[in-house]
Amino acid sequence: MSWSADSTTLENGTLRERVVERVHSSGARVAFCHKTGYLRTYACFATNFGSIDDRYRIGGGSEVVLPDGVAHFLEHKMFEGVNEDAFQEFSRLGASANAFTGFNGTSYLFSCTDRFYECLDHLVRFVQEPHFTAENVEKEKGIIGQEIRMYEDMPGWRVYFNLLEGMYQSHPVSKDIAGTEETISGITAPLLDRCWEAFYHPSNMILFAVGDQSEDEFFDHADRLLSEKDLGPAPDIEKITTAENLDVAKSRVEQSMQVGRSKLLFGWKDVHPGLNGPDLVRKELVTDLVLECVFGQSGALFEKLQEANLVDDSFGGGYMIYGDVGHSAIGGDVVDPEKVVEVIKSELPGVLSQGIAEEDIDRQRRAATGQLLKSFNSLENIAGSYCSSRFMGADPFEVVDLLSKIEPSEVVDRLQEHVQPERLVSSVITPA
Amino acid sequence: MTPSQSTHIPGFVTREVGEGGFLHVRPEERRKTSHLKLTWIADLGPHNARRCLIPACLMRGTRAYPSQRLLNRRTEQLWGLSGTTSIDRWGQRHLVSLVAEFPDEGHLPGGETVFDEAIDFVDQLIHEPHLVDGYFSKDYVDSEILQHRRSIEGRIDNKSGWAYQRCLEEACFDEPWRYHQLGTIEDLDGVEPASLTALWKELKSHQPLHVHFSGNMPSGRVFESLQKLFRDNCATKDSLAGVQGIRAAAEPRQVTEFAKVQQANLVMSYRTMISNDHPLYEPLMVANGILGGFPHSRLFTQVREKESLCYSIHSQVDSNIGMMFITAGVDHDSVGKATDGISEQIDFVRGGEFSEEEYLMTLSALDSRLRMVQDSPAALADYDLRTRLSGKSPGLEDLRKRVAAVTRDDVVAALELVHPDVTFLLAPEEDS
């Protein structure tokens, strides 16, 4: 095997970063970012299969419905080898390894200071050699059950997923990534095998490395490695999305937990089927500018809330976009969540009629440029940003140039479109 | 084991400024931002809470930017300069820090500059706060007292952190490190603008100050610019209390408390009698690594993976206080099995039964972890400060050599000194 197309180079003058990418004949997208002088090299092998991928069909066949938490369960079980846990070999090589499952992807990763290519071999091989048995799947349910309980005791996690439960009527983004003890009870070894065959084909995956390695050597090595195993033609997978309209499921969700302070998150959801690539990046960026200008700590609204001792430095927010849906989440630790929401609701009409000053947008542009520069210090952020952008069909560097191109009118229009007081959803955790 | 080659990453060059001021500067060309950290060192004690109010009030406004909103607008103008404060502890010391990160000028468009303005801004934050009639504004003080009270009340939100602190308080009931870094609500009673302003002046003039800078700027210019941050500082070697000795374990005992949680949080404490200057300091690091510091460690592979008793489990050593802690999140019904399993693993390692592979993997993982520190200016600054406060040489390469020289017999000898102290359990309330 070899490369099925010439390499593509993505470059950005402001960041002074360069990513070279190629598509391997196995179907895998392979990319490399050179970072001079870093002792650490970071690599990930990521599949575009996350917690929101809960229904699919292959080759026009019948629909397969997956239990909540299966992508995360699969991630746990991939580390189980025939003879030993995959962590053991990483430890022998002196590397630090991990994995995480998100809404739209699952990433297996390591970082090391030596023996990079041996680690890379191990990464790709263990992800391409599943070993699911009835016994080891049952055993994992106990461990994941404890993980789920740990999340149930984390108020920051609960307030976020309760917000999504309020926003979405049926979209799987509102489901906890790990599922529940009940949903994972139905997971079996054959089910994991089917998911692996469907979603872990190289054509659905990215192999990315960032560090002070030779670019040519990396691609030569990756070519040999990905050619070791012929996983056949790419399955003809159709992910089935769950339609969602703009109506919210519940405008308010409240849970009682043993917490010292109440926690509040509020926000709005977007539904945008068909939006892809650069349009998604643009929407995310413009919305983040809106949220920072309106709810950020340099804004009048924050000042008003702070002067009334209703919020503290934990107050803030952001926008998250996942394919056909997206949502804002704003809030923090508060004493009187009802009062905060009341003030927000009473202030929003004024904010909407006033719009956003051009000067505020320009200042946020400068701040965002600085934050982007900072984020490209981190090997983990570079890899995460590359993979998530590519899974959305976007260019990871696009955001930098977009920052200077966005017109103030676009930010103001987006404010009117997204921030609609009557559609506000809030989530509150109160002390038990 | 022979450690891999030394790394040639420049370390800090230190200049003493008076008796209690230390300016540590290193060039960093690999990154896109400069990292500046100021840390005042004080003693932990019953007045930690009011000391926490100082950085909080400094971040509310300066003479030039007298409100938090104006302050934040200024940081946005300075290309998103991130100015944050933190409160921490290290052994018997209370660490009050302010961190600023801002872009290196070479990355800014159109020849813009930021270094001088950023340093001026930090200088204003610590030396020229917004004062009313010579004191911190009463509104700001009252507001920060309220927010800090809420932070203290909010500690219960992190159940594992809460359990750890309770275990520490039980085990070290009369030792100085029992005090939580956020302090107590009672300590906030009676704090007034005048007393807090006096405390700020005392902190900046009488407590030792360490300033760490990493960035792409000629070191001569950095030394010259940062000198002003030490003005007023006349700390002496007597500014801190003498080093408190460590003590042996008393009769082991168990403490159980109840909370509204899904999962029990178990913290097992041990006395090691191994302080920072003990010859078995590095062997204890290795013993901890074999036992519970990594995914290949005994606690992870045996108690979590083999017995499926928990999701999170790990061990950590604190040689400032001569203690080791093992923490785990477990189902309440399995607590007995988990404590037995943990004790078995300690006996196993103490008995020298660990494999050659486990031993070598741990040396390799520790060496890799120490090398990785050098890719992060923040981690390097932390490492430098904490090793100095522990009375050790901050040379990373020397530590790597000492760790690599640890033998299996050394590991056994270190664990022979480890004896159980308090076992603390935060259990689900319905089981009480």
Side-chain angles (χ1 to χ4, degrees), chain A residues 239-260:
Chain A
K239 288 184 180 177
I240 302 170
T241 53
T242 302
E244 177 80 26
N245 62 36
L246 278 174
D247 294 335
V248 302
K250 290 174 256 185
S251 60
R252 186 175 185 283
V253 183
E254 183 175 333
Q255 183 183 345
S256 166
M257 293 177 75
Q258 181 144 9
V259 291

Side-chain angles (χ1 to χ4, degrees), chain B residues 28-40:
Chain B
E28 178 55 81
E29 297 175 355
R30 299 171 297 172
R31 297 165 71 92
K32 304 173 198 309
T33 52
S34 291
H35 180 269
L36 173 66
K37 181 170 190 176
L38 289 72
T39 309
W40 287 271

Side-chain angles (χ1 to χ4, degrees), chain B residues 101-145:
Chain B
E101 193 163 356
F102 48 92
D104 280 332
E105 293 178 349
H107 284 281
L108 295 179
E112 294 240 21
T113 59
V114 71
F115 177 80
D116 289 332
E117 287 174 296
I119 303 302
D120 278 348
F121 180 73
V122 171
D123 184 55
Q124 289 169 39
L125 279 177
I126 63 172
H127 287 120
E128 295 170 18
H130 170 59
L131 301 178
V132 177
D133 299 329
Y135 302 123
F136 286 128
S137 140
K138 181 159 173 51
D139 285 350
Y140 290 175
V141 171
D142 289 347
S143 164
E144 291 306 330
I145 288 172

